[in-house]
């Protein structure tokens, strides 16, 4: 059977070139980067080379990057790091109700310890209004954390505008850029951020490695205590093959970004247009234009997202409903609820995220298969019958 992967926001396959770059660091160059003999120093050199590649892509200095075990750790490090380090200054954080679980649950854990968190409203497209950020600031505010682009419905937030507000108010500003780095241009100075989270496996790198950008001069207590790795900010022997793979993936992303952007935008729009034409009572979630170039998220009336997913899977198509992290729970997506969708519509959502391997044929196939699935499910839907 034909298999079509349309869940690139959940994870991406590791690029063969990335695997090739990583392999020697498991065997030939296995030394501990903290060791002073040449095996160690060679590994250390490879880490620093990767660091400069990642820094270069986002307009940062190498010293401003801390490698982590992924996007989740980067979010935890940024948010808890600022909260713990600035306890004497204040206890108020401003964020959104649409953050990835990694940011959301970190804020909730701080709330249980007495930190006050403001969850800004978002409009029906998932956009944060920068004026609301300005209004939420108090003299106790120590951190603003707003994601660059949402992983579920793809909306890209006005980070640069919020960055200006944060700078004027001299408040630390963090963004989760896991869905944007390597896919669209990201520059820490243009965005005006002090902290920025990244993850390798969302950009054709390996799982289990990511980074946090920390603007020079930002005080942040160590996240992991132990050895002196990562300039004493993150103890533990470095994931050398992972970091090397991350660097190579960033390099490839940079080379292919423009071409892929154009190609994926075209495919995305072909899929959106086709779905809206061929299925009635369907709506696009997220902003139409301020949108990740590979994201299609729709809600289909009178059908359950899970049922569509299972039927798509039978036809060889991998998609998702809500985010990968919530797909095993029966709760509707908190992100879609925050846009004002009813629980029924949130339950009837479907996310397709496109990537390197997809072609126009894949889109045609989805457009052929999904309308039939929807028709079949609607024919047996108790939701539909109760409305007639
Ligand atoms: C995937 C993802 C994360 C988590 O990254 P991991 O490397 O899997 O821990 C965080 N934020 C966003 C927006 C993501 O899409």
């Amino acid at each position: 059977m034909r298999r079509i992967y349309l869940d690139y926001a959940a994870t991406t396959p590791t690029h063969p070139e990335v695997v090739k770059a990583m392999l020697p660091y498991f065997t030939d160059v296995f030394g501990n980067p903290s060791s002073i003999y040449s095996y160690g120093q060679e590994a250390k050199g490879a880490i620093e080379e990767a660091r400069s590649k990642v820094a270069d892509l986002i307009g940062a200095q190498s010293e401003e990057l801390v490698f982590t075990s992924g996007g989740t750790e980067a979010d935890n490090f940024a948010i808890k790091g600022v909260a713990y380090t600035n306890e004497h200054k204040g206890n108020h954080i401003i964020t959104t109700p649409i953050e990835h679980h990694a940011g959301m649950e970190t804020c909730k854990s701080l709330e249980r310890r007495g930190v006050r968190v403001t969850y800004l409203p978002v409009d029906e497209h998932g956009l944060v209004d920068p004026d609301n950020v300005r209004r939420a600031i108090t003299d106790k505010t120590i951190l603003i954390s707003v994601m660059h682009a949402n992983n579920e419905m793809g909306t890209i937030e006005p980070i640069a505008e919020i960055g200006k507000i944060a700078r004027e108010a001299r408040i630390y500003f963090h963004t989760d850029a896991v869905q944007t780095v390597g896919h669209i241009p990201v520059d820490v100075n243009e965005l005006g951020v002090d902290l920025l989270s990244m993850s390798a496996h969302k950009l054709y790198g390996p799982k289990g490695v990511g980074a946090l950008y920390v603007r020079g001069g930002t005080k942040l207590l160590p996240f992991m205590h132990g050895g002196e790795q990562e300039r004493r900010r993150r103890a533990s022997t470095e994931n050398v093959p992972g970091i090397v793979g991350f660097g190579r993936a960033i390099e490839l992303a940079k080379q292919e970004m423009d071409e892929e952007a154009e190609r994926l935008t075209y495919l995305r729009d072909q899929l959106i247009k086709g779905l809206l034409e061929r299925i009635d009572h369907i709506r696009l979630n997220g902003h139409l234009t301020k949108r990740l170039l590979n994201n299609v998220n729709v809600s289909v009336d009178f059908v359950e997202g899970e049922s569509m997913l299972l039927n798509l899977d039978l036809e060889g198509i991998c998609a998702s409903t809500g985010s990968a992290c919530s797909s095993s729970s029966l709760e509707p997506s908190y992100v879609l609820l925050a846009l004002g969708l009813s629980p029924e519509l949130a339950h009837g959502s479907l996310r397709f995220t496109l990537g390197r391997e997809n072609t126009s044929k894949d889109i045609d196939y989805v457009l052929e298969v999904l309308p039939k699935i929807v028709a079949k499910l609607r024919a047996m839907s108790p939701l539909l019958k109760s409305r007639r």
Side-chain angles (χ1 to χ4, degrees):
M1 189 177 59
R2 199 161 154 189
R3 277 184 72 81
I4 297 177
Y5 185 74
L6 287 163
D7 202 14
Y8 284 85
T11 193
T12 59
T14 312
H15 194 296
E17 287 286 324
V18 169
V19 176
K20 210 167 111 191
M22 291 172 70
L23 286 177
Y25 294 90
F26 289 101
T27 49
D28 300 348
V29 195
F30 65 88
N32 188 320
S34 300
S35 305
I36 55 168
Y37 42 77
S38 59
Y39 273 1
Q41 288 310 298
E42 228 181 294
K44 174 108 187 122
I47 291 176
E48 294 317 314
E49 202 183 313
R51 199 188 306 278
S52 79
K53 287 176 189 167
V54 179
D56 179 54
L57 185 77
I58 61 167
Q61 304 293 318
S62 288
E63 314 84 73
E64 295 175 310
L65 282 182
V66 182
F67 285 116
T68 65
S69 65
T72 300
E73 186 186 317
D75 285 345
N76 271 262
F77 187 6
I79 298 169
K80 288 181 195 163
V82 171
Y84 297 162
T85 310
N86 296 283
E87 261 167 350
H88 59 289
K89 284 197 194 146
N91 65 343
H92 178 226
I93 293 175
I94 299 171
T95 187
T96 79
I98 59 166
E99 298 299 307
H100 184 273
H101 281 100
M104 175 70 85
E105 294 301 321
T106 302
C107 285
K108 286 195 181 154
S109 82
L110 290 172
E111 271 185 295
R112 290 190 285 273
R113 296 165 147 264
V115 172
R116 215 165 63 69
V117 180
T118 299
Y119 298 91
L120 298 166
V122 292
D123 72 8
E124 73 267 36
H125 307 298
L127 277 176
V128 171
D129 180 348
D131 281 337
N132 283 332
V133 177
R134 186 178 283 122
R135 280 193 279 268
I137 293 172
T138 73
D139 57 357
K140 292 274 181 262
T141 309
I142 48 173
L143 175 70
I144 299 168
S145 178
V146 177
M147 73 197 312
H148 192 191
N150 183 271
N151 48 301
E152 284 190 42
M153 44 69 190
T155 299
I156 300 173
E157 301 295 343
I159 297 302
E161 287 175 55
I162 299 170
K164 285 202 190 85
I165 295 168
R167 178 140 310 174
E168 275 165 25
R170 297 169 159 271
I171 294 168
Y172 288 120
F173 182 30
H174 165 247
T175 193
D176 175 337
V178 170
Q179 289 290 339
T180 51
V181 170
H183 300 280
I184 60 174
V186 172
D187 184 295
V188 292
N189 295 314
E190 276 168 29
L191 295 177
V193 295
D194 302 300
L195 302 136
L196 180 143
S197 305
M198 294 168 261
S199 174
H201 77 99
K202 304 288 175 78
L203 52 101
Y204 307 95
K207 293 170 183 60
V209 59
L212 180 66
Y213 159 77
V214 185
R215 184 175 292 279
T218 306
K219 282 206 203 87
L220 220 50
L221 293 171
F223 187 61
M224 298 261 271
H225 299 268
E228 298 191 351
Q229 293 89 353
E230 298 296 291
R231 300 173 159 247
R232 299 193 181 167
R233 286 178 154 172
R234 203 269 185 186
S236 182
T237 305
E238 298 88 339
N239 172 4
V240 182
I243 291 170
V244 168
F246 187 11
R248 183 74 182 114
I250 285 274
E251 205 170 37
L252 292 166
K254 189 177 176 179
Q255 281 166 21
E256 295 174 12
M257 193 182 297
D258 293 345
E259 208 175 310
E260 267 301 272
E262 194 178 325
R263 201 181 69 82
L264 291 175
T265 305
Y266 178 79
L267 293 181
R268 176 197 70 184
D269 292 343
Q270 188 191 352
L271 182 54
I272 292 176
K273 185 162 171 280
L275 290 174
L276 298 184
E277 272 169 16
R278 289 171 202 219
I279 299 172
D280 51 5
H281 300 289
I282 185 171
R283 59 162 274 170
L284 180 71
N285 295 318
H287 200 279
L288 187 58
T289 53
K290 291 171 186 162
R291 181 178 201 92
L292 283 175
L293 44 86
N294 72 334
N295 174 295
V296 177
N297 185 314
V298 289
S299 279
V300 184
D301 265 322
F302 319 122
V303 246
E304 296 253 310
E306 283 82 14
S307 315
M308 288 188 280
L309 274 193
L310 291 173
N311 280 275
L312 283 169
D313 186 37
L314 293 175
E315 304 289 343
I317 299 171
C318 312
S320 85
T321 171
S323 75
C325 324
S326 59
S327 56
S328 53
S329 83
L330 291 173
E331 291 294 305
S333 150
Y334 62 86
V335 171
L336 297 180
L337 294 179
L339 309 191
L341 261 68
S342 66
E344 291 79 25
L345 266 183
H347 259 308
S349 77
L350 209 48
R351 181 188 74 178
F352 299 100
T353 43
L354 285 52
R356 199 173 250 141
E357 320 258 290
N358 295 132
T359 64
S360 218
K361 285 215 173 71
D362 298 344
I363 306 301
D364 291 342
Y365 183 59
V366 175
L367 289 175
E368 178 196 321
V369 167
L370 186 60
K372 288 183 200 158
I373 292 174
V374 170
K376 184 181 92 181
L377 291 172
R378 277 181 178 163
M380 41 195 224
S381 166
L383 292 173
L384 185 55
K385 281 186 192 119
S386 68
R387 282 177 206 218
R388 281 194 166 158

